[in-house]
Amino acid sequence: CAATSSSAQAAAAQHQVAAERQQLAREFHDLVGHTLSVTMLHMAGVRVSLEDGEASEALESLALAQQAGREAMREMRQTVTLLGNAAPGGPPMALPHVHDLPELVAGYASAGLKVELDSDADLTTVPGDVGLAAYRIAQESLTNAAKHAPGAAAVVTVRLGPSQLRLSVINDIVSPARQLASLPGTGHGISGMTQRATLAGGAVTAGPVNGQWRVEAVLPVGDRQ
């Protein structure tokens, strides 16, 4: 009947709104965490430069921190606009993708994190939803590395096969005394990565292994042959 159809449509609309809110919350969580970690790394560089009497280097670090803030504000506005205007069946949103990892890693490296990217694949072939999930998982992992192990080395590895993308982010575990205890965090990093991997049809594991913190994600990409 008409009443049943109207109720179903209302329920579907509410479900869509809830899904959009959850996606917006995920994007903002990852973006804010990333921005804070990069900014804190730059500020740590400012402190070291000032202690060494290097005023020019301190000013450069401050300028980079300011630039990171401006870029974050731009991406926040873009994310809100894209999510707000997204239409079912429309073109994919221009959100970050796994092929953007070189820029992500370079940003953390310029902020002072000892990080390398090991990838030998053409990541532009990865589907958009999987590419976004892989990017955000790597971003969250580097955010956590910057927060908990700012002086340790980290390696981001990506391997792309016919049916799976494998991503790992590994960093050395440092003593609590060397952690950036002042860096804010929500404590939902692992659960957020797990949710992203699940939504993309994959899985992620995270935890300590032989003195290192390892995040490993396996995401489906379909048959690319």
Side-chain angles (χ1 to χ4, degrees):
C1 64
T4 301
S5 176
S6 177
S7 177
Q9 291 176 352
Q14 291 178 352
H15 178 75
Q16 181 177 352
V17 170
E20 290 175 351
R21 287 178 176 175
Q22 289 177 351
Q23 184 177 5
L24 184 60
R26 286 194 298 270
E27 298 306 326
F28 267 88
H29 169 273
D30 291 349
L31 178 57
V32 170
H34 161 69
T35 303
L36 287 173
S37 65
V38 170
T39 300
M40 290 301 294
L41 284 170
H42 283 306
M43 297 307 294
V46 171
R47 184 184 67 244
V48 172
S49 297
L50 290 176
E51 289 174 348
D52 292 342
E54 299 290 345
S56 60
E57 292 184 7
L59 289 173
E60 181 179 355
S61 294
L62 283 173
L64 291 172
Q66 185 178 29
Q67 179 182 348
R70 286 197 300 266
E71 291 177 353
M73 290 299 297
R74 177 189 56 77
E75 187 173 346
M76 286 180 186
R77 288 193 295 268
Q78 181 186 44
T79 299
V80 171
T81 300
L82 290 171
L83 292 177
N85 295 335
M93 295 179 295
L95 292 171
H97 187 273
V98 67
H99 63 66
D100 296 316
L101 283 182
E103 291 80 5
L104 177 70
V105 170
Y108 272 101
S110 68
L113 188 68
K114 299 175 182 177
V115 56
E116 298 179 359
L117 174 62
D118 178 5
S119 175
D120 58 2
D122 179 10
L123 300 179
T124 61
T125 63
V126 176
D129 59 334
V130 175
L132 173 62
Y135 180 94
R136 292 305 194 194
I137 290 171
Q139 185 182 54
E140 179 68 20
S141 299
L142 292 177
T143 295
N144 290 338
K147 174 183 178 182
H148 297 293
V155 178
V156 180
T157 304
V158 184
R159 293 292 180 265
L160 184 60
S163 61
Q164 290 181 333
L165 180 149
R166 291 183 172 271
L167 167 74
S168 69
V169 183
I170 302 173
N171 64 269
D172 295 331
I173 296 175
V174 299
S175 64
R178 296 180 62 192
Q179 295 180 5
L180 285 181
S182 60
L183 182 62
T186 63
H188 298 299
I190 295 178
S191 63
M193 289 189 289
T194 300
Q195 185 180 44
R196 283 192 179 276
T198 300
L199 289 173
V204 66
T205 59
V209 179
N210 298 327
Q212 295 177 317
W213 185 265
R214 293 174 175 257
V215 177
E216 298 179 330
V218 179
L219 304 169
V221 296
D223 188 351
R224 300 183 298 112
Q225 302 295 328

